[in-house]
Amino acid sequence: SQGAPSKRLVPQDAAERLAIAQRIVADRCLYGVDINPMAVEMAKLSLWLITLDAKRPFTFLDHAFKCGDSLLGLSSFKQLEDFSLHPEGSKQIAFSTMNLWRHIEEAKKKREALEAMSSDTPEQIASKVGLYHEAQEAVAKLKAAADVLLAVELKGLKGSAYDEERQISASQMMAYWETDFTGLHTYAHDQLNGRRTFHWPVEFPEVFKRGGFDAYVGNPPYLGGKRISFRLGGQLFEFLKNSVGHAIGTTDLCVFFLLRGAHLLREKGCLGLVVSDIVRQGDSRVTGLEKLTSEGFVIFRAFSSTHWPGAAGVKISHLHLMRGHWDGRPVLDDVEVKSISSFLRAEDAGASQPLTLAANEDLCFTGHYLMGQGFVLPDQEAAELIAKNPRNREVIFDYIRGDDVNNLPLFLSGEKTINFDLRELDECKCLYPECLERVERLVKPERDLVKPKAERENWWRYARARPNLKKATANVEQVLVQPFTAKFVIPCFVPAKAVFAHPLVVIADASLARFAVMQSTIHLVWVWEYCSTSLDLLRYTASDVLETFPFPAHLADSGLLGAGRNYIQARDAIRLGEHRSVNEIYNGFHDPSEKAENIVRLRVLHVEMDQAVAAAYGWADLELNHGFYETKQGLRYTISEDARRKVLDLLLILNHQRHAEEEAGKTAYTSQSKPTARRGSKPKDNGGNAANDLFDMGEAKHEER
C-alpha cells in the first residue's frame, strides 16, 4: 500500500467507544486483507485502542482480519469446482463430483454462529475462538486444493499443455485428499514455490453465499505495467493479465486491484478506492474503468485528478463505483453531472469514447528502437570515422531525441548514430568496417544477453529498424516530430534524414496545414483529454490522441497554410534569434507577466491560427474567447472552459461520423463484385528480422520514456 493518509476516529466518551465496537463486531462487511501478518495484528490492536473500554475484553476479530495476496487466488467457488480459472475451460470431472460445497456450508455455519455470539466475557471470546478454528479446519483442504490450482495457473500454459498440467495436478491432489492432509498441504506449498495466496470465497463463505461484499475500500499500490514484471516477477504479471482476459502490457497494478474489488461486490455493492490517476488514461483505462462501465458498473462519484497530499510526487484519483443502477446524480470534482465516463470526465448519458480512424492509420511512426547505446557516438568521433572512410557517411546520421526537441534550440545534442538499416552483415564488413568494429565492440556484448533470438543474431541492426518510416520519408526533406513525453504539444519541423529516438512520434506528412492543426488549441484540448500523463507531463500516445483525431476534411485550405506559415516563422525567429528552446518559449507564452513583443505577437498569431482551424472545420461562429485560464495543467493562455467543452463535443461527434463513414465504405466495397483474388496475406516486410515491426505505434503506446 502507498500508506494513504486517513482521519483517525477519536470517540468522545466510553459510551461512544462501546457503540463503535459493537458496530464493528456486528458488521459482516468489515474485513481487512493485507499481505503482511504484522499489519493484521496492528489493525486489530488499533481498533481495540480506539474502542477501548476497561470493562470489556479485547473483541475477537481473527475471523474478520485476514492475510494474503488479494490478487493471487480464487474469486468464485465455481473456479475450484471446475479446477480452472478460465470460464470457457472444461470441468475437471472427478474433482467436481466430490461435493465440495459441504465444506463451505460447514464453515459458513460456524462463522455465522461465531458472529451471532456476544463478546462480553472471556468465556464467550474463548467459544468464538473455538468456532473459528473449526471453521478453518472445515475449509483447510479446499484452501490447499485452491493453492494447487493457482500453481497450475501461474505456469501460464495454454491449450493442451494447460489441460495436461491441470489433469496431472488434480490427480496428484486427489491422491492426497482422503488420507493425507499433511501431504496435500506440503504438495500445494511446494507447487506454489513460496507465493502466498488468498482465496476470497473460501475465506469468507458466508459473504459469498449472499452474493459478495457490500463494500470494498482501499488504497492499492501503484506500479506501471512494465515495472510489474521487474518488481514482482514476469510469472505473476502474466497471471494477472490472463486473469482479466484482456489486460495490456502497460496496465498499472492498481487497475488489477480495481477489477478484483469490483468483481467481489454483490449487486448494489459499492467500491471506493484511492488510485493513481493513470486509471483514467491509456491502457489502464481500457483494461479497468472502460471494462467495468461496459459491464454495468456506474461511477457515481469521483475526483478525476489531484496531487497526493503527502510528500510523494504522484497524482491520484478518487473512485466511487456501484455494481448496478445509481438512482442519484453523479458528482465529479464536487460538481453534479449527468454521468461520469471511464475517462473520469462529465458526459451526457450515452456519450462514447473516440474511435480509431482509418484515415490516420499511416500518418505517424515511432522512432527507432536501438537497443544498444554503442550505436550512438559524439560528433568528433563521427567525423573521424568519416575521415578514415568516406563511405561511413552513408550509415552515420544525426540522432534526435525527445529531450532534444523539448529543450535544445537546434533540436540537436551534438551526437550521431550508426544505422546499418537492414543491410546484411557481409555488406557492412565490406563497406563500413570501422563502424561495424565499433558496434561489435560496444553493442554485441549487450545483445548476446537478451532473450529474443532475432535481436541476438542481428546485433548490428536496431531492434526496431522502422523500414516503413524510411519508406515514408524517402522523398521528403523534413518531418514533424512530437516528443512522447512533454510539457506542451509542440510539433516541430526537423530534417527527415535522421535517426529518431524511440519513442519520439514522427509525422511524415509535414505540411504547414498539418502543423497548423496539430499546434492549434483545437488539437491541444483533444490531446489533454485523451492522452496519458506522467505527473504534469503529457504522454503523446499516438494511438489514443492522433489516430482518433478528426482532421479538417480539406487540409489544403489556404487559411490553414497561411496561418501555419506565419506561426512557425514567428516561433523560429524566437527560437533561433534568441537561442531559446521550444519549452522556454511556451513557458513565456503561458506566463501573463511575459510582455516581450515577440511573445505577445506569437499569442496573437496563435489566436489567428485557432480561428483558421475552426473555420476549416466549419465552426467560424464558435466563440473561442482566448485568455489566461487556470487549467489542470496550470495557468495557460488558451480558450475558455466553455469553448473547450464545445470543441471536445464537436470533435467527438465528428470522430464518430468519420468512423461510421469509413465502416460504411468498407461494407460497400466488400459487397461489390470483384475478381477472385488469391487467398493469403501479403508477406510482412521485416527485412529478415522478426523484431522489425513495420508500423509499431504500440511501442509508443506501451513503453515509457
Side-chain angles (χ1 to χ4, degrees):
S1 167
Q2 293 288 330
S6 60
K7 295 180 180 178
R8 185 175 178 184
L9 184 64
V10 184
Q12 299 301 311
D13 52 42
E16 186 177 351
R17 287 195 295 269
L18 177 58
I20 292 172
Q22 289 171 334
R23 290 203 302 272
I24 289 172
V25 175
D27 189 352
R28 294 181 179 180
C29 298
L30 184 71
Y31 294 97
V33 179
D34 195 292
I35 200 156
N36 186 343
M38 180 59 70
V40 173
E41 297 307 314
M42 290 174 65
K44 291 190 288 187
L45 179 60
S46 177
L47 279 175
W48 181 66
L49 291 172
I50 289 171
T51 62
L52 182 63
D53 184 347
K55 297 179 180 179
R56 296 173 62 85
F58 182 18
T59 302
F60 178 76
L61 293 173
D62 284 358
H63 71 296
F65 281 86
K66 298 287 186 176
C67 177
D69 186 336
S70 60
L71 295 182
L72 188 61
L74 304 183
S75 58
S76 74
F77 191 70
K78 187 176 186 302
Q79 293 172 333
L80 184 56
E81 280 192 309
D82 296 345
F83 203 65
S84 174
L85 299 189
H86 307 290
E88 71 282 0
S90 59
K91 290 186 177 182
Q92 214 295 323
I93 301 299
F95 191 55
S96 65
T97 60
M98 296 176 63
N99 190 19
L100 304 178
W101 274 105
R102 71 181 188 276
H103 301 280
I104 290 289
E105 282 295 326
E106 182 180 352
K108 170 180 167 293
K109 290 177 181 177
K110 301 284 187 185
R111 291 174 61 87
E112 288 175 340
L114 182 160
E115 290 187 346
M117 292 179 63
S118 298
S119 303
D120 298 327
T121 67
E123 291 75 19
Q124 290 172 335
I125 296 296
S127 297
K128 296 183 80 165
V129 170
L131 282 171
Y132 173 64
H133 287 304
E134 291 173 13
Q136 290 293 93
E137 290 174 6
V139 294
K141 286 200 285 189
L142 295 184
K143 291 167 70 173
D147 283 349
V148 174
L149 170 59
L150 262 293
V152 173
E153 300 289 348
L154 279 167
K155 294 179 180 179
L157 302 174
K158 306 290 183 184
S160 58
Y162 170 73
D163 291 335
E164 181 179 354
E165 181 67 22
R166 189 165 63 115
Q167 180 60 47
I168 292 172
S169 296
S171 299
Q172 187 68 40
M173 178 192 62
M174 291 170 65
Y176 289 117
W177 184 268
E178 294 296 339
T179 60
D180 187 4
F181 171 72
T182 301
L184 174 60
H185 178 77
T186 302
Y187 176 67
H189 182 269
D190 291 345
Q191 291 292 100
L192 277 173
N193 206 17
R195 292 195 181 275
R196 185 162 191 164
T197 58
F198 191 83
H199 307 294
W200 292 86
V202 179
E203 296 287 357
F204 303 122
E206 74 283 8
V207 172
F208 284 83
K209 187 70 173 178
R210 62 190 183 90
F213 288 97
D214 294 316
Y216 190 100
V217 297
N219 168 217
Y222 320 147
L223 191 62
K226 290 280 184 178
R227 297 186 180 93
I228 298 176
S229 294
F230 178 74
R231 294 278 297 276
L232 304 179
Q235 188 183 56
L236 179 62
F237 187 36
E238 289 304 313
F239 168 80
L240 293 177
K241 290 195 293 183
N242 293 334
S243 69
V244 300
H246 67 291
I248 309 172
T250 56
T251 298
D252 195 275
L253 181 62
C254 70
V255 174
F256 297 105
F257 283 90
L258 167 65
L259 292 169
R260 174 53 60 97
H263 292 142
L264 293 175
L265 294 175
R266 67 187 301 184
E267 190 66 22
K268 298 293 185 182
C270 294
L271 174 144
L273 294 180
V274 177
V275 293
S276 165
D277 74 345
I278 197 69
V279 76
R280 65 191 181 95
Q281 305 166 8
D283 299 336
S284 293
R285 180 193 65 82
V286 173
T287 303
L289 287 176
E290 182 179 308
K291 181 178 190 296
L292 292 177
T293 53
S294 70
E295 293 175 351
F297 286 84
V298 175
I299 306 170
F300 64 87
R301 188 179 183 90
F303 284 91
S304 57
S305 182
T306 184
H307 285 280
W308 180 260
V314 297
K315 298 186 78 173
I316 57 174
S317 297
H318 298 183
L319 290 179
H320 304 252
L321 292 89
M322 169 176 271
R323 185 170 200 158
H325 177 68
W326 176 256
D327 293 326
R329 293 274 291 186
V331 177
L332 176 64
D333 297 329
D334 279 337
V335 177
E336 284 193 357
V337 296
K338 290 184 179 179
S339 66
I340 302 174
S341 75
S342 63
F343 293 94
L344 298 189
R345 57 171 279 191
E347 286 187 344
D348 290 335
S352 182
Q353 67 183 55
L355 304 171
T356 299
L357 300 176
N360 295 352
E361 285 179 358
D362 296 324
L363 179 61
C364 59
F365 302 84
T366 306
H368 306 83
Y369 183 32
L370 278 60
M371 191 179 278
Q373 192 60 26
F375 288 110
V376 181
L377 65 165
D379 270 343
Q380 180 60 36
E381 187 176 350
E384 292 170 359
L385 287 172
I386 292 172
K388 289 179 182 178
N389 178 2
R391 298 206 66 160
N392 285 336
R393 190 186 304 275
E394 299 171 5
V395 295
I396 295 178
F397 299 87
D398 286 327
Y399 189 44
I400 301 178
R401 304 178 179 89
D403 279 347
D404 304 335
V405 177
N406 278 322
N407 300 311
L408 299 178
L410 297 179
F411 309 142
L412 296 174
S413 65
E415 289 186 323
K416 307 285 188 181
T417 183
I418 297 169
N419 181 14
F420 293 121
D421 196 40
L422 298 180
R423 292 177 174 88
E424 296 297 336
L425 183 59
D426 288 342
E427 181 183 357
C428 298
K429 287 180 180 178
C430 178
L431 299 180
Y432 321 108
E434 300 84 2
C435 291
L436 184 67
E437 184 278 328
R438 186 186 200 279
V439 172
E440 184 171 14
R441 173 167 44 88
L442 298 178
V443 176
K444 189 175 185 298
E446 295 180 26
R447 290 288 191 89
D448 287 341
L449 302 177
V450 302
K451 286 186 178 181
K453 180 180 179 182
E455 290 163 11
R456 288 199 312 273
E457 295 182 347
N458 296 284
W459 51 266
W460 69 97
R461 296 176 180 169
Y462 293 166
R464 301 289 186 273
R466 310 300 187 208
N468 268 18
L469 172 58
K470 179 183 177 182
K471 181 179 179 181
T473 59
N475 299 314
V476 299
E477 293 298 320
Q478 59 184 6
V479 295
L480 278 169
V481 293
Q482 166 64 42
F484 180 61
T485 304
K487 186 177 180 180
F488 306 107
V489 178
I490 48 168
C492 297
F493 290 101
V494 298
K497 302 303 183 285
V499 169
F500 307 101
H502 175 85
L504 191 67
V505 177
V506 184
I507 297 93
D509 177 15
S511 68
L512 286 167
R514 182 82 66 184
F515 165 79
V517 177
M518 291 186 63
Q519 186 61 77
S520 73
T521 311
I522 308 298
H523 181 58
L524 183 148
V525 298
W526 181 270
V527 172
W528 277 109
E529 186 71 14
Y530 297 114
C531 74
S532 58
T533 59
S534 177
L535 296 179
D536 291 326
L537 302 179
L538 64 89
R539 299 171 68 210
Y540 196 92
T541 313
S543 56
D544 291 329
V545 300
L546 195 58
E547 292 180 12
T548 60
F549 182 74
F551 282 90
H554 303 291
L555 274 177
D557 181 280
S558 60
L560 288 178
L561 292 170
R565 180 183 299 107
N566 293 339
Y567 190 88
I568 194 61
Q569 287 176 351
R571 192 175 77 180
D572 282 350
I574 303 172
R575 180 172 63 88
L576 302 175
E578 300 183 9
H579 204 66
R580 296 173 68 179
S581 70
V582 182
N583 263 0
E584 290 173 330
I585 291 172
Y586 283 102
N587 282 334
F589 181 91
H590 294 293
D591 182 357
S593 67
E594 177 61 79
K595 306 294 186 181
E597 183 178 348
N598 52 11
I599 295 295
V600 173
R601 173 62 178 159
L602 192 64
R603 292 179 191 138
V604 172
L605 291 173
H606 203 109
V607 172
E608 293 176 359
M609 185 170 63
D610 285 352
Q611 291 170 341
V613 172
Y617 280 107
W619 309 334
D621 296 334
L622 181 62
E623 293 289 339
L624 297 176
N625 297 319
H626 288 77
F628 288 99
Y629 298 97
E630 195 64 45
T631 72
K632 290 183 179 179
Q633 296 79 48
L635 189 64
R636 292 288 188 267
Y637 185 76
T638 185
I639 60 178
S640 69
E641 176 62 19
D642 185 56
R644 188 187 77 88
R645 288 255 47 91
K646 289 178 181 177
V647 166
L648 286 172
D649 290 343
L650 289 168
L651 287 173
L652 186 59
I653 291 170
L654 185 57
N655 167 272
H656 280 255
Q657 289 176 346
R658 295 272 181 84
H659 185 268
E661 290 167 1
E662 289 176 350
E663 292 299 307
K666 289 178 186 177
T667 303
Y669 175 76
T670 55
S671 66
Q672 293 174 359
S673 174
K674 300 186 296 294
T676 302
R678 186 176 66 177
R679 295 184 179 273
S681 60
K682 184 177 179 179
K684 188 175 184 178
D685 176 20
N686 59 20
N689 184 350
N692 287 321
D693 297 325
L694 300 186
F695 181 68
D696 191 6
M697 282 315 304
E699 290 294 334
K701 181 175 181 180
H702 299 324
E703 188 156 330
E704 293 187 16
R705 190 168 182 72

